[in-house]
Amino acid sequence: MVLCLNVILFLTLHLLPGMKSSMVNLINNGYDGIVIAINPSVPEDEKLIENIKEMVTEASTYLFHATKRRVYFRNVSILIPMTWKSKSEYFIPKQESYDQADVIVANPYLKYGDDPYTLQYGRCGEKGKYIHFTPNFLLTNNFHIYGSRGRVFVHEWAHLRWGIFDEYNVDQPFYISRKNTIEATRCSTHITGINVVFKKCPGGSCITSLCRRDSQTGLYEAKCTFLPKKSQTAKESIMFMPSLHSVTEFCTEKTHNTEAPNLQNKMCNGKSTWDVIMNSVDFQNTSPMTEMNPPTHPTFSLLKSKQRVVCLVLDKSGSMSAEDRLFQMNQAAELYLIQVIEKGSLVGMVTFDSVAEIQNHLTRITDDNVYQKITAKLPQVANGGTSICRGLKAGFQAIIHSDQSTSGSEIILLTDGEDNEINSCFEDVKRSGAIIHTIALGPSAAKELETLSNMTGGYRFFANKDITGLTNAFSRISSRSGSITQQAIQLESKALKITGRKRVNGTVPVDSTVGNDTFFVVTWTIQKPEIVLQDPKGKKYKTSDFKEDKLNIRSARLQIPGIAETGTWTYSLLNNHASSQMLTVTVTTRARSPTIPPVIATAHMSQHTAHYPSPMIVYAQVSQGFLPVLGISVIAIIETEDGHQVTLELWDNGAGADTVKNDGIYSRYFTDYRGNGRYSLKVHAEARNNTARLSLRQPQNKALYIPGYIENGKIILNPPRPEVKDDLAKAEIEDFSRLTSGGSFTVSGAPPGNHPSVLPPNKIIDLEAKFKEDHIQLSWTAPGNVLDKGKANSYIIRISKSFLDLQKDFDNATLVNTSSLKPKEAGSDENFEFKPEPFRIENGTNFYIAVQAINEANLTSEVSNIAQAIKFIPMPEDSVPALGTKISAINLAIFALAMILSIV
């Protein structure tokens, strides 16, 4: 049973697509459709484009040989920002956009260093989100620090495309092997070098010493650094140190170092990077080519972003009269036109039932008069059938009529109706090059609707009964250009059922990263409430200050003049009507400054579709610029077609569904399926009581910064890396609130109502062990009864002196008595201490420990990561003489070099 469940879990998490719509395809061994996008804030520089081309060209050859002649890069699009001058060689993009690019070129936020890295949300084998290169990395000669740019690109591409992880560990650079030797964390162990400590570098010279053992841990002292020899014979591994000339391959099962305490071993159960790559979708049906070199150099297309073109295609068929849908659509569309779409955009509108009508050809959004002209054409009556294809074709006509190309233009298609003929225009949609964002309103919207979003790289949403689902969807369809000033940010979106004659109060924090173009909007279902809004300095805005729409679409709006005051805003709504009614509060804003990025929250599910009982993962990333935001409350709300809501607190604890602790990516398993159909996701990220902080730590999954090499018996040092503050010195940020839609997903095979789960506890991935006198202390994060929900029933802990025996034959390793260990609630810290009987304990005794959790249905989790505990009796420290050094070169005495190398 457990085996079957683990297979289901693997297939679900590894084979189904995530929310990000990469346009990359692998066809006849060549990768097509790669998008490298330059951020609008990067100054124009032709050299940047040339260096990108050189990097990818070199990478293509390196990748071809590294994958044993299986894949190479065939064509790449470079997306030029609108801020750069137009040139004849620049073409118009189709569905390429900055926010869905595979590679982004952008300055770091704060002086974060130029380390190239890949943002990876998921598990082993899952694609990453994007690769981030800084302009400085692409324009400066970093060869000695990272290796050539082409090699670095292949290292990052392996993260992005195949979901493998780094084979070094900056937090644990050394470990004690099963042979009781201290080893640098690396793959393969055939990479040789020395271990030194850099103590002082006064006036251009450095003092180094050999690394001493720490008297408590038995490992080397904290500042010990592994320096590789420049000349190596080892060919592996690209995920450790591709900067070495000899390194041209990934670690295979034969060369993989299963003991190294790195993320690859932790996330992939000790599998080699090559094994994971060979199991990827890319390689399952790809055979090696007969040619010894790649067939061609990559071809490059230079695409310059154009002004934003958006056409609303809105359903006004008869079914839209039910449940106030037409009113709600108009309210949300008005909010989009006034508060979300950025100034200078071209906007058109089409309405459709069984026929379609162009209400507005493209109009440039410049001021309030333009908004009013468009909103005046919003439909007031719902009748007729539903022809989605006619609506789309009219949208294309509205764009072409205004001398704009449908390529790269966006269509927001909203419908609640079924349409059996929607397939008939799929080919037209593909040829158009347009991006289609779909909003399914209610449970009966055409089931093929999401196909339009999937094939064009658009967003997909499902909105149910109250207006907030629609406003959240429209608010998410903001600028895709990467410009921080253009993006609309949602601070609040709340639906409140208020009984007659009752008042409700609420607060919204406005932090100092936002406040420009701030709107408070209130909607109602029966009668306009009495509104009082107060800013942090006590200034009050009353009902009369809120502008009501002339079309009577039951909404009132207040635009805060200038920049909204920083601090907590309070609002009070009084329902003057005798009956209960639904009131909503929506607050949107934009970045306060073009130079300081705002705090942003984005969310998505691990895949678009799920089949019961396979779990999904909810992801939310909260960041300021590229810095993770930590210490906040992140709540996901998932709603079914029948209106049932599941609330999940997301965690950034490095356990369960969460890959890395404190990386600003909050996640959780979702298994609470209640019937089939569409589900919607929204996430509320909130910092209260001054708990939020920025992590200034370097990101995971990045190119390794090499401090120096050993060459001809000398240490050749690279320039010191930029100063990055210690992880403990995290920057505090003020209270804030963000709300974002994570789109929709579809569930099949789920029985209606509540049902018992058939899933085990989640795998423990953060087990740690250490000796305290003659006892071993264990710590880990508690799994749940079902994955990371509830409480496990019991634990199985096993111990062995052999790493391989425990890894390959866990069930036959020595069992630890856990009768006193009662599992805690999922997410809690677990601690357990035991004496490793019947083993004899001596100085240097090395133990390996792993854990399984069992739930009340007697389902067993996967075996945890393997933790190591070494009995080390402190010894007097040896006296090691310091070595005089120079920055450029260090002449080592032959006996000293031999001494160091003997340690490695």
Side-chain angles (χ1 to χ4, degrees), residues 131-161:
I131 298 168
H132 178 195
F133 293 123
T134 67
N136 195 44
F137 168 80
L138 290 168
L139 294 170
T140 307
N141 183 4
N142 302 293
F143 180 83
H144 295 293
I145 297 174
Y146 304 102
S148 69
R149 281 189 280 263
R151 287 177 170 233
V152 170
F153 186 44
V154 170
H155 175 99
E156 299 308 327
W157 182 259
H159 285 310
L160 181 78
R161 187 69 186 179

mmCIF file of all heavy atoms in Angstrom, residues 131-161:
data_model
loop_
_atom_site.group_PDB
_atom_site.id
_atom_site.type_symbol
_atom_site.label_atom_id
_atom_site.label_comp_id
_atom_site.label_asym_id
_atom_site.label_seq_id
_atom_site.Cartn_x
_atom_site.Cartn_y
_atom_site.Cartn_z
ATOM 1 N N ILE A 131 16.191 31.515 -13.803
ATOM 2 C CA ILE A 131 17.601 31.769 -13.510
ATOM 3 C C ILE A 131 17.784 33.279 -13.439
ATOM 4 O O ILE A 131 17.233 34.009 -14.261
ATOM 5 C CB ILE A 131 18.504 31.186 -14.616
ATOM 6 C CG1 ILE A 131 18.346 29.659 -14.706
ATOM 7 C CG2 ILE A 131 19.966 31.548 -14.393
ATOM 8 C CD1 ILE A 131 18.971 29.047 -15.952
ATOM 9 N N HIS A 132 18.558 33.748 -12.471
ATOM 10 C CA HIS A 132 18.813 35.188 -12.326
ATOM 11 C C HIS A 132 20.302 35.464 -12.521
ATOM 12 O O HIS A 132 21.147 34.975 -11.780
ATOM 13 C CB HIS A 132 18.376 35.657 -10.938
ATOM 14 C CG HIS A 132 18.645 37.106 -10.670
ATOM 15 N ND1 HIS A 132 18.613 37.644 -9.412
ATOM 16 C CD2 HIS A 132 18.952 38.143 -11.501
ATOM 17 C CE1 HIS A 132 18.893 38.944 -9.479
ATOM 18 N NE2 HIS A 132 19.113 39.251 -10.735
ATOM 19 N N PHE A 133 20.615 36.231 -13.575
ATOM 20 C CA PHE A 133 21.963 36.760 -13.786
ATOM 21 C C PHE A 133 21.923 38.261 -13.553
ATOM 22 O O PHE A 133 20.967 38.933 -13.965
ATOM 23 C CB PHE A 133 22.452 36.503 -15.221
ATOM 24 C CG PHE A 133 22.679 35.066 -15.561
ATOM 25 C CD1 PHE A 133 22.020 34.480 -16.627
ATOM 26 C CD2 PHE A 133 23.566 34.288 -14.829
ATOM 27 C CE1 PHE A 133 22.231 33.148 -16.966
ATOM 28 C CE2 PHE A 133 23.784 32.953 -15.150
ATOM 29 C CZ PHE A 133 23.116 32.384 -16.221
ATOM 30 N N THR A 134 22.949 38.802 -12.934
ATOM 31 C CA THR A 134 23.033 40.261 -12.813
ATOM 32 C C THR A 134 23.783 40.803 -14.036
ATOM 33 O O THR A 134 24.620 40.106 -14.627
ATOM 34 C CB THR A 134 23.783 40.688 -11.534
ATOM 35 O OG1 THR A 134 25.154 40.293 -11.645
ATOM 36 C CG2 THR A 134 23.175 40.054 -10.289
ATOM 37 N N PRO A 135 23.504 42.059 -14.428
ATOM 38 C CA PRO A 135 24.266 42.667 -15.526
ATOM 39 C C PRO A 135 25.767 42.636 -15.258
ATOM 40 O O PRO A 135 26.562 42.413 -16.165
ATOM 41 C CB PRO A 135 23.726 44.095 -15.591
ATOM 42 C CG PRO A 135 22.382 44.034 -14.975
ATOM 43 C CD PRO A 135 22.458 42.962 -13.914
ATOM 44 N N ASN A 136 26.143 42.843 -14.001
ATOM 45 C CA ASN A 136 27.563 42.861 -13.649
ATOM 46 C C ASN A 136 28.208 41.503 -13.916
ATOM 47 O O ASN A 136 29.346 41.426 -14.404
ATOM 48 C CB ASN A 136 27.727 43.248 -12.174
ATOM 49 C CG ASN A 136 29.162 43.647 -11.852
ATOM 50 O OD1 ASN A 136 29.787 44.385 -12.605
ATOM 51 N ND2 ASN A 136 29.675 43.145 -10.748
ATOM 52 N N PHE A 137 27.509 40.419 -13.623
ATOM 53 C CA PHE A 137 28.037 39.094 -13.908
ATOM 54 C C PHE A 137 28.252 38.913 -15.414
ATOM 55 O O PHE A 137 29.253 38.344 -15.846
ATOM 56 C CB PHE A 137 27.086 38.013 -13.388
ATOM 57 C CG PHE A 137 27.423 36.631 -13.888
ATOM 58 C CD1 PHE A 137 28.436 35.900 -13.295
ATOM 59 C CD2 PHE A 137 26.742 36.066 -14.959
ATOM 60 C CE1 PHE A 137 28.773 34.629 -13.765
ATOM 61 C CE2 PHE A 137 27.065 34.805 -15.438
ATOM 62 C CZ PHE A 137 28.086 34.093 -14.836
ATOM 63 N N LEU A 138 27.320 39.408 -16.214
ATOM 64 C CA LEU A 138 27.397 39.213 -17.661
ATOM 65 C C LEU A 138 28.398 40.151 -18.336
ATOM 66 O O LEU A 138 28.865 39.870 -19.431
ATOM 67 C CB LEU A 138 26.010 39.408 -18.282
ATOM 68 C CG LEU A 138 24.997 38.304 -17.947
ATOM 69 C CD1 LEU A 138 23.595 38.728 -18.343
ATOM 70 C CD2 LEU A 138 25.367 36.994 -18.632
ATOM 71 N N LEU A 139 28.722 41.268 -17.685
ATOM 72 C CA LEU A 139 29.618 42.259 -18.305
ATOM 73 C C LEU A 139 31.039 42.213 -17.767
ATOM 74 O O LEU A 139 31.940 42.794 -18.349
ATOM 75 C CB LEU A 139 29.039 43.667 -18.111
ATOM 76 C CG LEU A 139 27.721 43.949 -18.848
ATOM 77 C CD1 LEU A 139 27.129 45.277 -18.385
ATOM 78 C CD2 LEU A 139 27.942 43.954 -20.351
ATOM 79 N N THR A 140 31.256 41.532 -16.632
ATOM 80 C CA THR A 140 32.571 41.503 -15.996
ATOM 81 C C THR A 140 33.212 40.137 -16.192
ATOM 82 O O THR A 140 32.516 39.122 -16.257
ATOM 83 C CB THR A 140 32.431 41.790 -14.480
ATOM 84 O OG1 THR A 140 31.698 42.991 -14.306
ATOM 85 C CG2 THR A 140 33.782 41.929 -13.812
ATOM 86 N N ASN A 141 34.519 40.109 -16.277
ATOM 87 C CA ASN A 141 35.222 38.841 -16.410
ATOM 88 C C ASN A 141 35.289 38.148 -15.049
ATOM 89 O O ASN A 141 36.081 38.509 -14.189
ATOM 90 C CB ASN A 141 36.637 39.073 -16.951
ATOM 91 C CG ASN A 141 37.381 37.768 -17.168
ATOM 92 O OD1 ASN A 141 36.819 36.688 -16.989
ATOM 93 N ND2 ASN A 141 38.647 37.865 -17.533
ATOM 94 N N ASN A 142 34.412 37.164 -14.866
ATOM 95 C CA ASN A 142 34.358 36.415 -13.603
ATOM 96 C C ASN A 142 34.922 35.000 -13.758
ATOM 97 O O ASN A 142 34.626 34.129 -12.956
ATOM 98 C CB ASN A 142 32.902 36.298 -13.127
ATOM 99 C CG ASN A 142 32.240 37.640 -12.934
ATOM 100 O OD1 ASN A 142 32.624 38.378 -12.046
ATOM 101 N ND2 ASN A 142 31.250 37.953 -13.757
ATOM 102 N N PHE A 143 35.709 34.790 -14.809
ATOM 103 C CA PHE A 143 36.106 33.433 -15.168
ATOM 104 C C PHE A 143 36.724 32.681 -13.993
ATOM 105 O O PHE A 143 36.391 31.522 -13.734
ATOM 106 C CB PHE A 143 37.090 33.478 -16.342
ATOM 107 C CG PHE A 143 37.557 32.133 -16.791
ATOM 108 C CD1 PHE A 143 36.776 31.376 -17.657
ATOM 109 C CD2 PHE A 143 38.755 31.607 -16.345
ATOM 110 C CE1 PHE A 143 37.196 30.118 -18.066
ATOM 111 C CE2 PHE A 143 39.180 30.351 -16.750
ATOM 112 C CZ PHE A 143 38.397 29.601 -17.610
ATOM 113 N N HIS A 144 37.626 33.341 -13.274
ATOM 114 C CA HIS A 144 38.340 32.635 -12.205
ATOM 115 C C HIS A 144 37.451 32.398 -10.994
ATOM 116 O O HIS A 144 37.726 31.511 -10.188
ATOM 117 C CB HIS A 144 39.594 33.410 -11.800
ATOM 118 C CG HIS A 144 40.609 33.493 -12.903
ATOM 119 N ND1 HIS A 144 41.282 32.400 -13.365
ATOM 120 C CD2 HIS A 144 41.041 34.548 -13.648
ATOM 121 C CE1 HIS A 144 42.106 32.759 -14.341
ATOM 122 N NE2 HIS A 144 41.974 34.053 -14.535
ATOM 123 N N ILE A 145 36.413 33.189 -10.852
ATOM 124 C CA ILE A 145 35.563 33.075 -9.663
ATOM 125 C C ILE A 145 34.504 31.992 -9.834
ATOM 126 O O ILE A 145 34.291 31.168 -8.956
ATOM 127 C CB ILE A 145 34.892 34.435 -9.360
ATOM 128 C CG1 ILE A 145 35.977 35.476 -9.047
ATOM 129 C CG2 ILE A 145 33.901 34.318 -8.221
ATOM 130 C CD1 ILE A 145 35.460 36.879 -8.878
ATOM 131 N N TYR A 146 33.817 31.998 -10.973
ATOM 132 C CA TYR A 146 32.715 31.068 -11.194
ATOM 133 C C TYR A 146 32.997 30.043 -12.301
ATOM 134 O O TYR A 146 32.246 29.083 -12.455
ATOM 135 C CB TYR A 146 31.448 31.829 -11.601
ATOM 136 C CG TYR A 146 31.013 32.887 -10.629
ATOM 137 C CD1 TYR A 146 31.264 34.235 -10.869
ATOM 138 C CD2 TYR A 146 30.332 32.538 -9.465
ATOM 139 C CE1 TYR A 146 30.858 35.209 -9.977
ATOM 140 C CE2 TYR A 146 29.919 33.506 -8.564
ATOM 141 C CZ TYR A 146 30.182 34.847 -8.823
ATOM 142 O OH TYR A 146 29.773 35.813 -7.938
ATOM 143 N N GLY A 147 34.024 30.252 -13.077
ATOM 144 C CA GLY A 147 34.199 29.507 -14.309
ATOM 145 C C GLY A 147 33.588 30.299 -15.447
ATOM 146 O O GLY A 147 33.025 31.376 -15.255
ATOM 147 N N SER A 148 33.705 29.802 -16.661
ATOM 148 C CA SER A 148 33.187 30.544 -17.811
ATOM 149 C C SER A 148 31.674 30.667 -17.720
ATOM 150 O O SER A 148 30.995 29.830 -17.123
ATOM 151 C CB SER A 148 33.572 29.827 -19.115
ATOM 152 O OG SER A 148 32.866 28.602 -19.211
ATOM 153 N N ARG A 149 31.128 31.726 -18.337
ATOM 154 C CA ARG A 149 29.687 31.970 -18.266
ATOM 155 C C ARG A 149 28.883 30.820 -18.891
ATOM 156 O O ARG A 149 27.796 30.497 -18.423
ATOM 157 C CB ARG A 149 29.347 33.299 -18.927
ATOM 158 C CG ARG A 149 29.655 34.486 -18.027
ATOM 159 C CD ARG A 149 29.122 35.778 -18.609
ATOM 160 N NE ARG A 149 29.986 36.318 -19.642
ATOM 161 C CZ ARG A 149 30.901 37.265 -19.437
ATOM 162 N NH1 ARG A 149 31.074 37.754 -18.222
ATOM 163 N NH2 ARG A 149 31.645 37.710 -20.430
ATOM 164 N N GLY A 150 29.408 30.233 -19.957
ATOM 165 C CA GLY A 150 28.709 29.119 -20.584
ATOM 166 C C GLY A 150 28.561 27.938 -19.641
ATOM 167 O O GLY A 150 27.508 27.302 -19.565
ATOM 168 N N ARG A 151 29.619 27.644 -18.912
ATOM 169 C CA ARG A 151 29.562 26.536 -17.945
ATOM 170 C C ARG A 151 28.601 26.862 -16.806
ATOM 171 O O ARG A 151 27.855 25.985 -16.339
ATOM 172 C CB ARG A 151 30.964 26.256 -17.399
ATOM 173 C CG ARG A 151 31.877 25.563 -18.412
ATOM 174 C CD ARG A 151 33.280 25.363 -17.862
ATOM 175 N NE ARG A 151 34.057 24.500 -18.742
ATOM 176 C CZ ARG A 151 34.708 23.407 -18.351
ATOM 177 N NH1 ARG A 151 34.678 23.041 -17.078
ATOM 178 N NH2 ARG A 151 35.375 22.679 -19.213
ATOM 179 N N VAL A 152 28.634 28.106 -16.338
ATOM 180 C CA VAL A 152 27.713 28.518 -15.272
ATOM 181 C C VAL A 152 26.268 28.369 -15.742
ATOM 182 O O VAL A 152 25.394 27.911 -15.005
ATOM 183 C CB VAL A 152 27.993 29.976 -14.839
ATOM 184 C CG1 VAL A 152 26.893 30.489 -13.919
ATOM 185 C CG2 VAL A 152 29.347 30.061 -14.136
ATOM 186 N N PHE A 153 26.014 28.738 -17.007
ATOM 187 C CA PHE A 153 24.654 28.651 -17.531
ATOM 188 C C PHE A 153 24.164 27.193 -17.517
ATOM 189 O O PHE A 153 23.010 26.912 -17.174
ATOM 190 C CB PHE A 153 24.589 29.223 -18.947
ATOM 191 C CG PHE A 153 23.186 29.309 -19.511
ATOM 192 C CD1 PHE A 153 22.140 29.776 -18.743
ATOM 193 C CD2 PHE A 153 22.922 28.907 -20.812
ATOM 194 C CE1 PHE A 153 20.849 29.864 -19.257
ATOM 195 C CE2 PHE A 153 21.638 28.975 -21.341
ATOM 196 C CZ PHE A 153 20.591 29.455 -20.545
ATOM 197 N N VAL A 154 25.029 26.261 -17.872
ATOM 198 C CA VAL A 154 24.635 24.844 -17.853
ATOM 199 C C VAL A 154 24.353 24.391 -16.424
ATOM 200 O O VAL A 154 23.387 23.652 -16.160
ATOM 201 C CB VAL A 154 25.713 23.966 -18.515
ATOM 202 C CG1 VAL A 154 25.430 22.483 -18.296
ATOM 203 C CG2 VAL A 154 25.794 24.280 -20.003
ATOM 204 N N HIS A 155 25.179 24.836 -15.462
ATOM 205 C CA HIS A 155 24.950 24.524 -14.047
ATOM 206 C C HIS A 155 23.554 24.995 -13.622
ATOM 207 O O HIS A 155 22.785 24.257 -12.991
ATOM 208 C CB HIS A 155 26.034 25.213 -13.198
ATOM 209 C CG HIS A 155 25.840 25.071 -11.718
ATOM 210 N ND1 HIS A 155 26.509 24.142 -10.972
ATOM 211 C CD2 HIS A 155 25.068 25.758 -10.841
ATOM 212 C CE1 HIS A 155 26.153 24.251 -9.704
ATOM 213 N NE2 HIS A 155 25.280 25.231 -9.604
ATOM 214 N N GLU A 156 23.210 26.237 -14.002
ATOM 215 C CA GLU A 156 21.897 26.781 -13.619
ATOM 216 C C GLU A 156 20.773 26.137 -14.421
ATOM 217 O O GLU A 156 19.667 25.935 -13.910
ATOM 218 C CB GLU A 156 21.889 28.305 -13.795
ATOM 219 C CG GLU A 156 22.913 29.045 -12.948
ATOM 220 C CD GLU A 156 22.848 28.690 -11.471
ATOM 221 O OE1 GLU A 156 21.749 28.417 -10.959
ATOM 222 O OE2 GLU A 156 23.916 28.643 -10.825
ATOM 223 N N TRP A 157 21.028 25.825 -15.681
ATOM 224 C CA TRP A 157 20.001 25.173 -16.515
ATOM 225 C C TRP A 157 19.607 23.823 -15.908
ATOM 226 O O TRP A 157 18.439 23.424 -15.943
ATOM 227 C CB TRP A 157 20.526 24.979 -17.937
ATOM 228 C CG TRP A 157 19.511 24.365 -18.859
ATOM 229 C CD1 TRP A 157 19.437 23.061 -19.252
ATOM 230 C CD2 TRP A 157 18.417 25.037 -19.501
ATOM 231 N NE1 TRP A 157 18.370 22.874 -20.091
ATOM 232 C CE2 TRP A 157 17.726 24.070 -20.267
ATOM 233 C CE3 TRP A 157 17.959 26.353 -19.498
ATOM 234 C CZ2 TRP A 157 16.597 24.376 -21.024
ATOM 235 C CZ3 TRP A 157 16.835 26.669 -20.255
ATOM 236 C CH2 TRP A 157 16.164 25.686 -21.002
ATOM 237 N N ALA A 158 20.569 23.121 -15.340
ATOM 238 C CA ALA A 158 20.273 21.831 -14.711
ATOM 239 C C ALA A 158 19.349 22.013 -13.510
ATOM 240 O O ALA A 158 18.459 21.184 -13.262
ATOM 241 C CB ALA A 158 21.579 21.154 -14.292
ATOM 242 N N HIS A 159 19.555 23.096 -12.741
ATOM 243 C CA HIS A 159 18.602 23.433 -11.667
ATOM 244 C C HIS A 159 17.217 23.684 -12.249
ATOM 245 O O HIS A 159 16.212 23.149 -11.786
ATOM 246 C CB HIS A 159 19.038 24.713 -10.948
ATOM 247 C CG HIS A 159 20.194 24.554 -10.017
ATOM 248 N ND1 HIS A 159 20.265 23.573 -9.058
ATOM 249 C CD2 HIS A 159 21.322 25.294 -9.860
ATOM 250 C CE1 HIS A 159 21.378 23.709 -8.365
ATOM 251 N NE2 HIS A 159 22.046 24.739 -8.837
ATOM 252 N N LEU A 160 17.177 24.548 -13.251
ATOM 253 C CA LEU A 160 15.910 25.046 -13.793
ATOM 254 C C LEU A 160 15.109 23.960 -14.490
ATOM 255 O O LEU A 160 13.910 23.809 -14.256
ATOM 256 C CB LEU A 160 16.192 26.190 -14.780
ATOM 257 C CG LEU A 160 14.959 26.840 -15.421
ATOM 258 C CD1 LEU A 160 14.300 27.793 -14.442
ATOM 259 C CD2 LEU A 160 15.344 27.592 -16.700
ATOM 260 N N ARG A 161 15.760 23.208 -15.343
ATOM 261 C CA ARG A 161 15.043 22.300 -16.243
ATOM 262 C C ARG A 161 14.816 20.922 -15.634
ATOM 263 O O ARG A 161 13.788 20.296 -15.882
ATOM 264 C CB ARG A 161 15.830 22.173 -17.553
ATOM 265 C CG ARG A 161 15.121 21.396 -18.642
ATOM 266 C CD ARG A 161 13.920 22.140 -19.189
ATOM 267 N NE ARG A 161 13.165 21.306 -20.127
ATOM 268 C CZ ARG A 161 12.050 21.699 -20.733
ATOM 269 N NH1 ARG A 161 11.557 22.895 -20.479
ATOM 270 N NH2 ARG A 161 11.413 20.897 -21.564
#
